[in-house]
Amino acid sequence: YNSRMTISRRKTAYYSSSGWNWRFYGKWQLLYSRDTYAYTIYHNYGVACYNRWLSFYLIYQKNYQNPAWNRIYIDWNLSL
């Protein structure tokens, strides 16, 4: 399978984000992003799988300034 690395950067009035996305095996991807807000910074680490009908993300969100804000979550999407 072909692998692909995508690097992104976006900036708005509310936050800025930079990160990368590496598709390493078929529909599987590794993710990282650094989101900077006026009050804090989040580092997001994750894995994703995209399919024609069902896609999901497993993300660990780390905040080094306030560990109480750390979280892990699963996001999924069903397309009919």
Side-chain angles (χ1 to χ4, degrees):
Y1 293 101
N2 294 332
S3 64
R4 179 176 57 184
M5 173 74 76
T6 304
I7 299 172
S8 64
R9 177 138 174 91
R10 83 179 50 96
K11 186 171 177 80
T12 69
Y14 182 63
Y15 78 102
S16 67
S17 177
S18 59
W20 55 263
N21 175 324
W22 177 43
R23 185 177 71 190
F24 63 93
Y25 182 76
K27 297 172 176 132
W28 290 91
Q29 299 183 14
L30 291 177
L31 313 165
Y32 169 77
S33 70
R34 181 178 186 264
D35 301 333
T36 304
Y37 296 88
Y39 57 89
T40 193
I41 299 171
Y42 287 103
H43 296 266
N44 302 300
Y45 308 92
V47 64
C49 181
Y50 297 98
N51 206 335
R52 183 175 180 181
W53 304 107
L54 180 66
S55 302
F56 80 92
Y57 296 91
L58 175 64
I59 304 291
Y60 175 64
Q61 192 171 58
K62 177 81 174 163
N63 186 306
Y64 291 100
Q65 297 168 323
N66 189 349
W69 292 350
N70 293 348
R71 59 186 164 188
I72 190 166
Y73 58 91
I74 297 174
D75 187 20
W76 61 277
N77 182 28
L78 177 63
S79 301
L80 299 175

